[in-house]
Amino acid sequence: MSTAEHEEFLASVRALLTKHAGSAAVRAAMHTELGYDPALWRLLCEQIGVAALAIPEEFGGFGAGLVESSLVVGELGRTLAGVPMLGSAVLGAQAVLLSGDAEACARLLPEAAEGTRTIAVCWADERGWDEPGVRETDGALTGTAHYVLDGMSADTLVVVTRTGLFEVEPTAPGVTRRSAPTMDPTRKLAEVGFADVPARRLGSGDQAAAVARLRRIAWAALAAEQVGAADRCLEMTVEYAKSRVQFGRVIGSFQALKHRMADMYVLLESARSASIAATASVAADSPSAAEDVWAARVHCSEALTAIAAETVQLHGGIAITWEHDAHLFFKRAHGDAQLFGAAHRPVAQPA
């Protein structure tokens, strides 16, 4: 897509989310078992085709790319809607593609592109994403994958192990799923257990490179979500500063608060630049992708955390009430800072 097409596409996504994913709708959905409104997901898939964006045409997708998918993830970050875009349409679909398993791609991805099949990636151990939580022995899986996005509702499980990627049906004997407690009520996570579960290997050979690229894709998409959330935080803060009156003046007229909001804006725009660079680098599989994604992961996490904290501060006491959305963005900021693991400094490649 061209820049103009991106802008038109974003306007369509935002218009749909504005109509169907307002604060009341998100709050109602987060108390359900799914954690999101399935009707919203159907609208996004049927009217805009969000799940098909980064899936090649040969597997039923649009063949657009990761850049377009990240644009949607960013818009969802503005609303905190918990639809399975990041977990399934981005991470799950890319895991299947990266495996190089043509049969699995042809079988799983057309329904994933339609949004009728969700794919959950089972990866982390209880300490995080540095080590897989599940091990494979003679084609059978044992262990527990923690912090699984869309893990409770997924139709297909893709399991990351040290020996490769595996496909498992969630209803297979020996598979257990339970909801995991989270700080962020707008994002559901699950723990998925495997007790000597037979699994189908995806692809062949060493999948280490595929897993490394999958992590870069996850971090780039998450950075886009963080920028979207930070953008909405600043927008809410400016709106509030224009309407809240103190000492006979709107608080936005006070110079000290103007400076703080200006600092928020500078932080947001630098994070936006880092996110755009990382997404473009990962989409092109650039040699600098590891460094670009590392920079975006660190800076966008710090930016959203700082901007969400300022949002709470500048809204005053109302921001810590359950009725205001500021605390939801604050919780999303802290949850996102841990999701998919910490960003260790990349090792420089030899010249």
Side-chain angles (χ1 to χ4, degrees):
M1 291 185 185
S2 66
T3 301
E5 288 173 324
H6 279 161
E7 291 177 355
E8 184 177 350
F9 174 68
L10 272 178
S12 299
V13 176
R14 186 170 295 186
L16 190 151
L17 291 175
T18 299
K19 184 175 181 180
H20 298 284
S23 176
V26 171
R27 285 169 176 268
M30 74 187 188
H31 294 296
T32 65
E33 185 176 349
L34 276 178
Y36 66 89
D37 180 4
L40 171 63
W41 181 235
R42 285 195 299 272
L43 284 172
L44 285 166
C45 293
E46 293 172 1
Q47 294 189 13
I48 300 180
V50 298
L53 289 169
I55 295 177
E57 292 182 13
E58 63 183 299
F59 300 127
F62 291 164
L66 292 171
V67 172
E68 289 73 22
S69 289
S70 290
L71 291 175
V72 176
V73 173
E75 285 301 304
L76 289 167
R78 287 177 52 87
T79 68
L80 303 181
V83 295
M85 182 68 195
L86 176 61
S88 177
V90 176
L91 203 61
Q94 290 301 310
V96 176
L97 282 169
L98 289 170
S99 73
D101 191 317
E103 187 279 331
C105 288
R107 177 166 46 84
L108 300 175
L109 293 183
E111 291 181 350
E114 293 174 352
T116 55
R117 177 186 295 274
T118 53
I119 304 171
V121 177
C122 302
W123 189 340
D125 68 12
E126 61 182 347
R127 293 169 296 181
W129 285 260
D130 289 341
E131 291 291 338
V134 180
R135 63 184 181 278
E136 178 265 336
T137 305
D138 298 327
L141 304 181
T142 302
T144 301
H146 294 259
Y147 323 116
V148 181
L149 286 171
D150 309 311
M152 291 299 294
S153 57
D155 303 299
T156 299
L157 304 176
V158 173
V159 186
V160 177
T161 74
R162 282 191 168 190
T163 56
L165 301 172
F166 292 84
E167 176 193 347
V168 177
E169 290 298 315
T171 55
V175 177
T176 57
R177 299 191 282 182
R178 71 182 187 92
S179 181
T182 62
M183 172 186 287
D184 178 5
T186 64
R187 169 161 280 156
K188 299 290 186 181
L189 301 176
E191 293 178 5
V192 184
F194 301 85
D196 200 28
V197 178
R200 181 187 183 281
R201 181 181 289 274
L202 293 175
S204 60
D206 186 5
Q207 295 282 347
V211 173
R213 177 159 170 76
L214 186 63
R215 188 190 300 272
R216 291 195 290 271
I217 290 170
W219 280 357
L222 192 61
E225 176 183 285
Q226 290 169 319
V227 169
D231 192 27
R232 179 58 186 145
C233 283
L234 178 57
E235 188 177 87
M236 288 193 305
T237 304
V238 172
E239 289 172 355
Y240 182 74
K242 288 179 177 180
S243 61
R244 178 74 169 94
V245 175
Q246 191 74 14
F247 306 115
R249 294 169 56 185
V250 293
I251 63 172
S253 66
F254 296 123
Q255 189 173 32
L257 298 191
K258 289 180 180 179
H259 287 171
R260 290 173 70 172
M261 286 183 281
D263 289 341
M264 292 168 71
Y265 176 77
V266 171
L267 195 54
L268 168 63
E269 291 306 308
S270 62
R272 194 190 309 276
S273 295
S275 172
I276 291 171
T279 299
S281 185
V282 170
D285 202 11
S286 166
S288 65
E291 291 82 2
D292 293 336
V293 170
W294 175 84
R297 173 60 175 156
V298 172
H299 187 53
C300 292
S301 294
E302 292 176 351
L304 177 55
T305 299
I307 290 171
E310 279 289 78
T311 298
V312 172
Q313 288 289 320
L314 295 179
H315 275 80
I318 192 175
I320 60 172
T321 64
W322 179 252
E323 290 76 18
H324 200 279
D325 287 344
H327 74 96
L328 295 178
F329 283 95
F330 184 81
K331 291 170 182 174
R332 174 61 66 90
H334 285 272
D336 276 3
Q338 304 301 320
L339 195 62
F340 305 136
H344 306 295
R345 184 176 292 276
V347 177
Q349 298 298 316

